[in-house]
Amino acid sequence: MLDMPIPYSDELLYSTIARAGIHQGIVSPKELLDEVFGNRKIVATLDLPSHLDVVASRYPKSLRISGEALAYKHTLFPLYAPFVTEDRRNTTLRSLCVGSRGAVHLVLGIAASRIRHTKNIRYCPSCIKRQLFEYGEYYWLRRWQVVGADSCLDHGALVYAKVPPHTIHRHQFFPAIPQYCLLSKQQSTSVQSDSVTSKVVELLNLKSHSSATFGQWTQYYSNLIQDLGLSRGQNIDYEKIKPIIIDRWSPGWLQSMGLAVTDSQSCWLRSLLRKHRKSFSYLEHIVALEALLQKGWSFDRVLESVRTLQVSGVRKHIHESFEDFGLVVRDAYRNRWLSRVISEGAKHSRKHGAGADYAWLYRHDRNWLLTVNKRYMVENITINHRVDWSMRDRQIVRRLCRIRDEYEEQLESPRWSRNWYLSKLDHSTTVEKKLDKLPLVKLFFDRYCEDIFEYQIRRITNVVLTMIESDQMVKRWKVLRKAGLSEIRLKAHSRWFLEYVLRDVCKTTDLNIYTMTFVLWG
């Protein structure tokens, strides 16, 4: 692609690609994908786009723009990189540069996060007015799209752009233009939003650096709790920490962010202050550190402290040799455990009467124990009776039939694919993953989902009927253009249908619009 625009400071790569379409006068979303990526199947991802190496190759080498540079300067990757392990950071970075097929959000834990990520684009009306004055055009900033950072530190609350839903236009990059960015009045912001925004700006401006380990994060929070006197011996005093967090952020704001602080043992705050077995989001770290640290703290100093921590050694049990007790004792424990594990398996035996034998062997004769357990491993088959899949199958099919009937006469609707039907359901992910247990749903998809040529025929039908109704001359090139098709993409069945319409149907002068509708679509 010629003249790929250079990203502005803190501009989303999504915005840069959208501006490229405007600069080149490209109207078709698929044509823009062809020009930038050489691939029409790329999804327009707002926060963490992939194939960054391809985009970087569009720039002259003298600019030294690499895929990694784009990831750190023009995506939201810096929000997650410091809080995941180093191998996961490198894996994600490679996926962003080469291509992930949607795996990045899974690897970083975003897909399963308790924080509800917005799918709409936001902007600051006052900032885009300044952009127009300085650069002659609008563009989307990274910090506007971060959950929790709901304000502009200079002007007030952010506003949602009038951009169509991503679920309908998955391949289209929407530019920041006056049509989508109305210059509306901004509301005042909250103290919580301003605090999060300032820390988000810090994270987005961090340079590429190696990530800390889970052990270092555990050690850091343990030391912090000890220094603040919020512990009981080696354990945290949750009852002292909980009110500090709530007083700083307010229960209502925490609830709105999905970070309500409760007394549950699975509460995110308890997990954050305990031993880290997983990574936590930027917002969880901001909420905890902002309440526990003094004013003026920065992520740069915190991350440097975490990375330089020497993790204290994990306490290990002293494993005494069975020789201290004699072979007779050892054989007695072995025989008792062996008689149980052969018939019942290791897990069942340990939990139902042989726990003491397991503990003794684990401490004094571990190698033999692990070898025997592996040899006589019993597969644990769990049958879930909580869901009546037959009844759920019938309920979902009825709902799908209602959706089909509702959209049957709407010729302008998107392609009735399986993903389109799933997007209309309340629990689409569950249905997609459990199709093997939903035979009626699977049969519905096989029978009623549109093929590509059927979708093309429907689009052609809609355009022809509209042109006949408005007394326009039905020309082949006009039909293809208004239907968003081309000779190259036209399928064989669609081509035959179009030729039939132009040759036979449209020359029938004595048919009114209702009869024509029946001929084409009836």
Side-chain angles (χ1 to χ4, degrees), residues 83-85 88 213-219 221 265 268 270-280 285 314:
F83 309 116
V84 297
T85 57
R88 185 158 294 187
T213 64
F214 287 161
Q216 288 173 319
W217 276 112
T218 303
Q219 190 72 42
Y221 277 106
Q265 292 295 321
W268 68 270
R270 286 186 187 270
S271 302
L272 181 70
L273 300 177
R274 289 171 173 169
K275 179 180 179 180
H276 283 218
R277 293 180 172 85
K278 63 175 183 177
S279 59
F280 293 86
H285 283 285
V314 181

PDB file of all heavy atoms in Angstrom, residues 83-85 88 213-219 221 265 268 270-280 285 314:
ATOM      1  N   PHE A  83       1.956  -7.654  33.750  1.00  0.00           N
ATOM      2  CA  PHE A  83       1.303  -8.465  34.774  1.00  0.00           C
ATOM      3  C   PHE A  83       1.172  -9.938  34.407  1.00  0.00           C
ATOM      4  O   PHE A  83       0.582 -10.708  35.160  1.00  0.00           O
ATOM      5  CB  PHE A  83      -0.084  -7.871  35.067  1.00  0.00           C
ATOM      6  CG  PHE A  83      -0.047  -6.406  35.366  1.00  0.00           C
ATOM      7  CD1 PHE A  83      -0.681  -5.501  34.536  1.00  0.00           C
ATOM      8  CD2 PHE A  83       0.655  -5.917  36.460  1.00  0.00           C
ATOM      9  CE1 PHE A  83      -0.644  -4.145  34.794  1.00  0.00           C
ATOM     10  CE2 PHE A  83       0.707  -4.564  36.725  1.00  0.00           C
ATOM     11  CZ  PHE A  83       0.056  -3.672  35.887  1.00  0.00           C
ATOM     12  N   VAL A  84       1.676 -10.323  33.247  1.00  0.00           N
ATOM     13  CA  VAL A  84       1.711 -11.736  32.885  1.00  0.00           C
ATOM     14  C   VAL A  84       3.150 -12.226  32.955  1.00  0.00           C
ATOM     15  O   VAL A  84       4.083 -11.431  33.048  1.00  0.00           O
ATOM     16  CB  VAL A  84       1.139 -11.969  31.467  1.00  0.00           C
ATOM     17  CG1 VAL A  84      -0.321 -11.576  31.408  1.00  0.00           C
ATOM     18  CG2 VAL A  84       1.936 -11.185  30.423  1.00  0.00           C
ATOM     19  N   THR A  85       3.338 -13.528  32.935  1.00  0.00           N
ATOM     20  CA  THR A  85       4.691 -14.079  33.008  1.00  0.00           C
ATOM     21  C   THR A  85       5.471 -13.756  31.734  1.00  0.00           C
ATOM     22  O   THR A  85       4.887 -13.421  30.695  1.00  0.00           O
ATOM     23  CB  THR A  85       4.636 -15.597  33.212  1.00  0.00           C
ATOM     24  OG1 THR A  85       3.874 -16.181  32.142  1.00  0.00           O
ATOM     25  CG2 THR A  85       3.969 -15.933  34.543  1.00  0.00           C
ATOM     26  N   ARG A  88       4.617 -15.870  28.675  1.00  0.00           N
ATOM     27  CA  ARG A  88       3.309 -15.499  28.110  1.00  0.00           C
ATOM     28  C   ARG A  88       3.370 -14.143  27.413  1.00  0.00           C
ATOM     29  O   ARG A  88       2.719 -13.928  26.402  1.00  0.00           O
ATOM     30  CB  ARG A  88       2.257 -15.495  29.215  1.00  0.00           C
ATOM     31  CG  ARG A  88       0.840 -15.251  28.716  1.00  0.00           C
ATOM     32  CD  ARG A  88      -0.200 -15.768  29.677  1.00  0.00           C
ATOM     33  NE  ARG A  88      -0.160 -17.223  29.780  1.00  0.00           N
ATOM     34  CZ  ARG A  88      -1.050 -17.948  30.454  1.00  0.00           C
ATOM     35  NH1 ARG A  88      -2.033 -17.342  31.087  1.00  0.00           N
ATOM     36  NH2 ARG A  88      -0.951 -19.265  30.516  1.00  0.00           N
ATOM     37  N   THR A 213       7.818 -12.493  37.730  1.00  0.00           N
ATOM     38  CA  THR A 213       7.227 -13.815  37.925  1.00  0.00           C
ATOM     39  C   THR A 213       6.086 -13.724  38.932  1.00  0.00           C
ATOM     40  O   THR A 213       5.934 -12.727  39.645  1.00  0.00           O
ATOM     41  CB  THR A 213       8.274 -14.808  38.433  1.00  0.00           C
ATOM     42  OG1 THR A 213       8.721 -14.393  39.739  1.00  0.00           O
ATOM     43  CG2 THR A 213       9.469 -14.873  37.485  1.00  0.00           C
ATOM     44  N   PHE A 214       5.278 -14.766  38.987  1.00  0.00           N
ATOM     45  CA  PHE A 214       4.211 -14.813  39.982  1.00  0.00           C
ATOM     46  C   PHE A 214       4.798 -14.769  41.395  1.00  0.00           C
ATOM     47  O   PHE A 214       4.218 -14.158  42.302  1.00  0.00           O
ATOM     48  CB  PHE A 214       3.381 -16.078  39.804  1.00  0.00           C
ATOM     49  CG  PHE A 214       2.481 -16.041  38.599  1.00  0.00           C
ATOM     50  CD1 PHE A 214       1.972 -17.213  38.063  1.00  0.00           C
ATOM     51  CD2 PHE A 214       2.142 -14.839  38.000  1.00  0.00           C
ATOM     52  CE1 PHE A 214       1.143 -17.183  36.956  1.00  0.00           C
ATOM     53  CE2 PHE A 214       1.313 -14.799  36.895  1.00  0.00           C
ATOM     54  CZ  PHE A 214       0.808 -15.976  36.376  1.00  0.00           C
ATOM     55  N   GLY A 215       5.942 -15.429  41.573  1.00  0.00           N
ATOM     56  CA  GLY A 215       6.575 -15.422  42.890  1.00  0.00           C
ATOM     57  C   GLY A 215       7.000 -14.030  43.316  1.00  0.00           C
ATOM     58  O   GLY A 215       6.886 -13.665  44.495  1.00  0.00           O
ATOM     59  N   GLN A 216       7.493 -13.229  42.390  1.00  0.00           N
ATOM     60  CA  GLN A 216       7.896 -11.860  42.720  1.00  0.00           C
ATOM     61  C   GLN A 216       6.693 -10.991  43.070  1.00  0.00           C
ATOM     62  O   GLN A 216       6.761 -10.171  43.983  1.00  0.00           O
ATOM     63  CB  GLN A 216       8.671 -11.267  41.540  1.00  0.00           C
ATOM     64  CG  GLN A 216      10.064 -11.859  41.379  1.00  0.00           C
ATOM     65  CD  GLN A 216      10.752 -11.383  40.120  1.00  0.00           C
ATOM     66  OE1 GLN A 216      10.139 -11.286  39.059  1.00  0.00           O
ATOM     67  NE2 GLN A 216      12.052 -11.098  40.228  1.00  0.00           N
ATOM     68  N   TRP A 217       5.583 -11.155  42.346  1.00  0.00           N
ATOM     69  CA  TRP A 217       4.383 -10.405  42.700  1.00  0.00           C
ATOM     70  C   TRP A 217       3.856 -10.828  44.076  1.00  0.00           C
ATOM     71  O   TRP A 217       3.420  -9.988  44.867  1.00  0.00           O
ATOM     72  CB  TRP A 217       3.298 -10.618  41.640  1.00  0.00           C
ATOM     73  CG  TRP A 217       3.428  -9.724  40.449  1.00  0.00           C
ATOM     74  CD1 TRP A 217       3.737 -10.091  39.176  1.00  0.00           C
ATOM     75  CD2 TRP A 217       3.260  -8.299  40.423  1.00  0.00           C
ATOM     76  NE1 TRP A 217       3.771  -8.987  38.360  1.00  0.00           N
ATOM     77  CE2 TRP A 217       3.484  -7.871  39.090  1.00  0.00           C
ATOM     78  CE3 TRP A 217       2.960  -7.345  41.390  1.00  0.00           C
ATOM     79  CZ2 TRP A 217       3.390  -6.532  38.701  1.00  0.00           C
ATOM     80  CZ3 TRP A 217       2.870  -6.005  41.016  1.00  0.00           C
ATOM     81  CH2 TRP A 217       3.086  -5.609  39.686  1.00  0.00           C
ATOM     82  N   THR A 218       3.902 -12.119  44.352  1.00  0.00           N
ATOM     83  CA  THR A 218       3.480 -12.591  45.671  1.00  0.00           C
ATOM     84  C   THR A 218       4.341 -11.982  46.762  1.00  0.00           C
ATOM     85  O   THR A 218       3.834 -11.506  47.793  1.00  0.00           O
ATOM     86  CB  THR A 218       3.564 -14.130  45.731  1.00  0.00           C
ATOM     87  OG1 THR A 218       2.761 -14.699  44.692  1.00  0.00           O
ATOM     88  CG2 THR A 218       3.088 -14.652  47.071  1.00  0.00           C
ATOM     89  N   GLN A 219       5.650 -11.983  46.534  1.00  0.00           N
ATOM     90  CA  GLN A 219       6.572 -11.429  47.519  1.00  0.00           C
ATOM     91  C   GLN A 219       6.348  -9.932  47.695  1.00  0.00           C
ATOM     92  O   GLN A 219       6.415  -9.415  48.821  1.00  0.00           O
ATOM     93  CB  GLN A 219       8.013 -11.690  47.066  1.00  0.00           C
ATOM     94  CG  GLN A 219       9.084 -11.378  48.111  1.00  0.00           C
ATOM     95  CD  GLN A 219       9.080 -12.391  49.246  1.00  0.00           C
ATOM     96  OE1 GLN A 219       8.939 -13.584  49.014  1.00  0.00           O
ATOM     97  NE2 GLN A 219       9.223 -11.918  50.479  1.00  0.00           N
ATOM     98  N   TYR A 221       3.543  -8.067  47.295  1.00  0.00           N
ATOM     99  CA  TYR A 221       2.346  -7.762  48.080  1.00  0.00           C
ATOM    100  C   TYR A 221       2.499  -8.227  49.526  1.00  0.00           C
ATOM    101  O   TYR A 221       1.985  -7.585  50.455  1.00  0.00           O
ATOM    102  CB  TYR A 221       1.119  -8.398  47.432  1.00  0.00           C
ATOM    103  CG  TYR A 221       0.550  -7.565  46.308  1.00  0.00           C
ATOM    104  CD1 TYR A 221       0.717  -7.945  44.981  1.00  0.00           C
ATOM    105  CD2 TYR A 221      -0.146  -6.397  46.564  1.00  0.00           C
ATOM    106  CE1 TYR A 221       0.208  -7.179  43.940  1.00  0.00           C
ATOM    107  CE2 TYR A 221      -0.665  -5.616  45.537  1.00  0.00           C
ATOM    108  CZ  TYR A 221      -0.481  -6.009  44.232  1.00  0.00           C
ATOM    109  OH  TYR A 221      -0.990  -5.240  43.209  1.00  0.00           O
ATOM    110  N   GLN A 265     -14.285 -16.252  49.986  1.00  0.00           N
ATOM    111  CA  GLN A 265     -12.912 -16.731  49.893  1.00  0.00           C
ATOM    112  C   GLN A 265     -12.357 -16.631  48.471  1.00  0.00           C
ATOM    113  O   GLN A 265     -11.145 -16.639  48.281  1.00  0.00           O
ATOM    114  CB  GLN A 265     -12.829 -18.189  50.370  1.00  0.00           C
ATOM    115  CG  GLN A 265     -13.085 -18.370  51.854  1.00  0.00           C
ATOM    116  CD  GLN A 265     -12.005 -17.697  52.700  1.00  0.00           C
ATOM    117  OE1 GLN A 265     -10.826 -17.729  52.357  1.00  0.00           O
ATOM    118  NE2 GLN A 265     -12.414 -17.088  53.804  1.00  0.00           N
ATOM    119  N   TRP A 268     -11.635 -11.398  44.469  1.00  0.00           N
ATOM    120  CA  TRP A 268     -10.426 -11.066  43.715  1.00  0.00           C
ATOM    121  C   TRP A 268      -9.362 -10.436  44.609  1.00  0.00           C
ATOM    122  O   TRP A 268      -8.159 -10.643  44.393  1.00  0.00           O
ATOM    123  CB  TRP A 268     -10.777 -10.105  42.574  1.00  0.00           C
ATOM    124  CG  TRP A 268     -11.201  -8.738  43.040  1.00  0.00           C
ATOM    125  CD1 TRP A 268     -12.458  -8.309  43.338  1.00  0.00           C
ATOM    126  CD2 TRP A 268     -10.331  -7.624  43.284  1.00  0.00           C
ATOM    127  NE1 TRP A 268     -12.444  -7.014  43.749  1.00  0.00           N
ATOM    128  CE2 TRP A 268     -11.146  -6.555  43.729  1.00  0.00           C
ATOM    129  CE3 TRP A 268      -8.960  -7.415  43.180  1.00  0.00           C
ATOM    130  CZ2 TRP A 268     -10.640  -5.303  44.062  1.00  0.00           C
ATOM    131  CZ3 TRP A 268      -8.439  -6.174  43.512  1.00  0.00           C
ATOM    132  CH2 TRP A 268      -9.274  -5.130  43.938  1.00  0.00           C
ATOM    133  N   ARG A 270      -8.737 -11.012  47.860  1.00  0.00           N
ATOM    134  CA  ARG A 270      -8.059 -12.069  48.605  1.00  0.00           C
ATOM    135  C   ARG A 270      -7.035 -12.780  47.715  1.00  0.00           C
ATOM    136  O   ARG A 270      -5.899 -13.033  48.127  1.00  0.00           O
ATOM    137  CB  ARG A 270      -9.071 -13.095  49.124  1.00  0.00           C
ATOM    138  CG  ARG A 270      -9.925 -12.637  50.297  1.00  0.00           C
ATOM    139  CD  ARG A 270     -10.765 -13.805  50.781  1.00  0.00           C
ATOM    140  NE  ARG A 270     -11.733 -13.426  51.788  1.00  0.00           N
ATOM    141  CZ  ARG A 270     -11.503 -13.425  53.108  1.00  0.00           C
ATOM    142  NH1 ARG A 270     -10.304 -13.794  53.550  1.00  0.00           N
ATOM    143  NH2 ARG A 270     -12.446 -13.080  53.962  1.00  0.00           N
ATOM    144  N   SER A 271      -7.453 -13.101  46.500  1.00  0.00           N
ATOM    145  CA  SER A 271      -6.560 -13.811  45.582  1.00  0.00           C
ATOM    146  C   SER A 271      -5.342 -12.978  45.226  1.00  0.00           C
ATOM    147  O   SER A 271      -4.229 -13.494  45.102  1.00  0.00           O
ATOM    148  CB  SER A 271      -7.319 -14.185  44.302  1.00  0.00           C
ATOM    149  OG  SER A 271      -8.439 -14.992  44.608  1.00  0.00           O
ATOM    150  N   LEU A 272      -5.544 -11.663  45.072  1.00  0.00           N
ATOM    151  CA  LEU A 272      -4.437 -10.779  44.717  1.00  0.00           C
ATOM    152  C   LEU A 272      -3.393 -10.715  45.827  1.00  0.00           C
ATOM    153  O   LEU A 272      -2.186 -10.634  45.564  1.00  0.00           O
ATOM    154  CB  LEU A 272      -4.974  -9.376  44.416  1.00  0.00           C
ATOM    155  CG  LEU A 272      -3.951  -8.329  44.009  1.00  0.00           C
ATOM    156  CD1 LEU A 272      -3.398  -8.624  42.620  1.00  0.00           C
ATOM    157  CD2 LEU A 272      -4.552  -6.933  44.055  1.00  0.00           C
ATOM    158  N   LEU A 273      -3.833 -10.750  47.076  1.00  0.00           N
ATOM    159  CA  LEU A 273      -2.918 -10.607  48.206  1.00  0.00           C
ATOM    160  C   LEU A 273      -2.350 -11.944  48.672  1.00  0.00           C
ATOM    161  O   LEU A 273      -1.477 -11.962  49.538  1.00  0.00           O
ATOM    162  CB  LEU A 273      -3.640  -9.917  49.371  1.00  0.00           C
ATOM    163  CG  LEU A 273      -4.179  -8.510  49.058  1.00  0.00           C
ATOM    164  CD1 LEU A 273      -4.943  -7.958  50.247  1.00  0.00           C
ATOM    165  CD2 LEU A 273      -3.052  -7.569  48.671  1.00  0.00           C
ATOM    166  N   ARG A 274      -2.848 -13.025  48.121  1.00  0.00           N
ATOM    167  CA  ARG A 274      -2.319 -14.341  48.458  1.00  0.00           C
ATOM    168  C   ARG A 274      -1.244 -14.734  47.444  1.00  0.00           C
ATOM    169  O   ARG A 274      -0.762 -13.922  46.674  1.00  0.00           O
ATOM    170  CB  ARG A 274      -3.443 -15.380  48.449  1.00  0.00           C
ATOM    171  CG  ARG A 274      -4.425 -15.249  49.613  1.00  0.00           C
ATOM    172  CD  ARG A 274      -5.597 -16.172  49.395  1.00  0.00           C
ATOM    173  NE  ARG A 274      -6.495 -16.209  50.549  1.00  0.00           N
ATOM    174  CZ  ARG A 274      -7.700 -16.765  50.532  1.00  0.00           C
ATOM    175  NH1 ARG A 274      -8.148 -17.339  49.419  1.00  0.00           N
ATOM    176  NH2 ARG A 274      -8.467 -16.767  51.607  1.00  0.00           N
ATOM    177  N   LYS A 275      -0.907 -16.008  47.437  1.00  0.00           N
ATOM    178  CA  LYS A 275       0.052 -16.516  46.475  1.00  0.00           C
ATOM    179  C   LYS A 275      -0.531 -16.422  45.070  1.00  0.00           C
ATOM    180  O   LYS A 275      -1.633 -16.892  44.812  1.00  0.00           O
ATOM    181  CB  LYS A 275       0.402 -17.973  46.793  1.00  0.00           C
ATOM    182  CG  LYS A 275       1.394 -18.590  45.815  1.00  0.00           C
ATOM    183  CD  LYS A 275       1.711 -20.025  46.179  1.00  0.00           C
ATOM    184  CE  LYS A 275       2.681 -20.641  45.180  1.00  0.00           C
ATOM    185  NZ  LYS A 275       3.006 -22.044  45.515  1.00  0.00           N
ATOM    186  N   HIS A 276       0.209 -15.806  44.157  1.00  0.00           N
ATOM    187  CA  HIS A 276      -0.273 -15.620  42.791  1.00  0.00           C
ATOM    188  C   HIS A 276      -0.137 -16.916  42.000  1.00  0.00           C
ATOM    189  O   HIS A 276       0.960 -17.422  41.796  1.00  0.00           O
ATOM    190  CB  HIS A 276       0.522 -14.509  42.099  1.00  0.00           C
ATOM    191  CG  HIS A 276       0.108 -13.133  42.542  1.00  0.00           C
ATOM    192  ND1 HIS A 276       0.037 -12.073  41.686  1.00  0.00           N
ATOM    193  CD2 HIS A 276      -0.273 -12.663  43.753  1.00  0.00           C
ATOM    194  CE1 HIS A 276      -0.352 -10.999  42.349  1.00  0.00           C
ATOM    195  NE2 HIS A 276      -0.540 -11.339  43.602  1.00  0.00           N
ATOM    196  N   ARG A 277      -1.274 -17.423  41.579  1.00  0.00           N
ATOM    197  CA  ARG A 277      -1.293 -18.596  40.700  1.00  0.00           C
ATOM    198  C   ARG A 277      -1.772 -18.234  39.298  1.00  0.00           C
ATOM    199  O   ARG A 277      -1.871 -19.085  38.430  1.00  0.00           O
ATOM    200  CB  ARG A 277      -2.189 -19.680  41.288  1.00  0.00           C
ATOM    201  CG  ARG A 277      -1.635 -20.270  42.588  1.00  0.00           C
ATOM    202  CD  ARG A 277      -2.565 -21.336  43.137  1.00  0.00           C
ATOM    203  NE  ARG A 277      -1.966 -22.037  44.256  1.00  0.00           N
ATOM    204  CZ  ARG A 277      -2.008 -21.612  45.520  1.00  0.00           C
ATOM    205  NH1 ARG A 277      -2.622 -20.469  45.801  1.00  0.00           N
ATOM    206  NH2 ARG A 277      -1.444 -22.300  46.487  1.00  0.00           N
ATOM    207  N   LYS A 278      -2.092 -16.989  39.095  1.00  0.00           N
ATOM    208  CA  LYS A 278      -2.517 -16.492  37.785  1.00  0.00           C
ATOM    209  C   LYS A 278      -2.210 -14.998  37.742  1.00  0.00           C
ATOM    210  O   LYS A 278      -1.866 -14.378  38.762  1.00  0.00           O
ATOM    211  CB  LYS A 278      -4.011 -16.723  37.588  1.00  0.00           C
ATOM    212  CG  LYS A 278      -4.872 -15.946  38.592  1.00  0.00           C
ATOM    213  CD  LYS A 278      -6.343 -16.098  38.304  1.00  0.00           C
ATOM    214  CE  LYS A 278      -7.167 -15.238  39.281  1.00  0.00           C
ATOM    215  NZ  LYS A 278      -8.610 -15.306  38.981  1.00  0.00           N
ATOM    216  N   SER A 279      -2.337 -14.431  36.570  1.00  0.00           N
ATOM    217  CA  SER A 279      -2.112 -12.994  36.424  1.00  0.00           C
ATOM    218  C   SER A 279      -3.405 -12.240  36.729  1.00  0.00           C
ATOM    219  O   SER A 279      -4.508 -12.773  36.577  1.00  0.00           O
ATOM    220  CB  SER A 279      -1.649 -12.670  35.001  1.00  0.00           C
ATOM    221  OG  SER A 279      -2.606 -13.096  34.055  1.00  0.00           O
ATOM    222  N   PHE A 280      -3.253 -10.997  37.156  1.00  0.00           N
ATOM    223  CA  PHE A 280      -4.379 -10.137  37.464  1.00  0.00           C
ATOM    224  C   PHE A 280      -4.370  -8.946  36.518  1.00  0.00           C
ATOM    225  O   PHE A 280      -3.327  -8.558  35.988  1.00  0.00           O
ATOM    226  CB  PHE A 280      -4.325  -9.671  38.923  1.00  0.00           C
ATOM    227  CG  PHE A 280      -4.535 -10.773  39.914  1.00  0.00           C
ATOM    228  CD1 PHE A 280      -3.462 -11.551  40.344  1.00  0.00           C
ATOM    229  CD2 PHE A 280      -5.792 -11.065  40.402  1.00  0.00           C
ATOM    230  CE1 PHE A 280      -3.644 -12.588  41.250  1.00  0.00           C
ATOM    231  CE2 PHE A 280      -5.988 -12.099  41.306  1.00  0.00           C
ATOM    232  CZ  PHE A 280      -4.911 -12.858  41.732  1.00  0.00           C
ATOM    233  N   HIS A 285      -4.775  -4.330  39.896  1.00  0.00           N
ATOM    234  CA  HIS A 285      -3.541  -3.813  40.484  1.00  0.00           C
ATOM    235  C   HIS A 285      -3.678  -2.326  40.827  1.00  0.00           C
ATOM    236  O   HIS A 285      -3.213  -1.885  41.888  1.00  0.00           O
ATOM    237  CB  HIS A 285      -2.377  -4.016  39.517  1.00  0.00           C
ATOM    238  CG  HIS A 285      -1.869  -5.420  39.472  1.00  0.00           C
ATOM    239  ND1 HIS A 285      -1.090  -5.976  40.467  1.00  0.00           N
ATOM    240  CD2 HIS A 285      -2.034  -6.406  38.540  1.00  0.00           C
ATOM    241  CE1 HIS A 285      -0.785  -7.221  40.155  1.00  0.00           C
ATOM    242  NE2 HIS A 285      -1.341  -7.510  38.988  1.00  0.00           N
ATOM    243  N   VAL A 314      10.942 -21.579  48.826  1.00  0.00           N
ATOM    244  CA  VAL A 314       9.729 -22.231  49.288  1.00  0.00           C
ATOM    245  C   VAL A 314      10.084 -23.291  50.324  1.00  0.00           C
ATOM    246  O   VAL A 314      10.998 -24.084  50.122  1.00  0.00           O
ATOM    247  CB  VAL A 314       8.987 -22.885  48.100  1.00  0.00           C
ATOM    248  CG1 VAL A 314       7.714 -23.555  48.577  1.00  0.00           C
ATOM    249  CG2 VAL A 314       8.701 -21.845  47.025  1.00  0.00           C
TER     250      VAL A 314
END
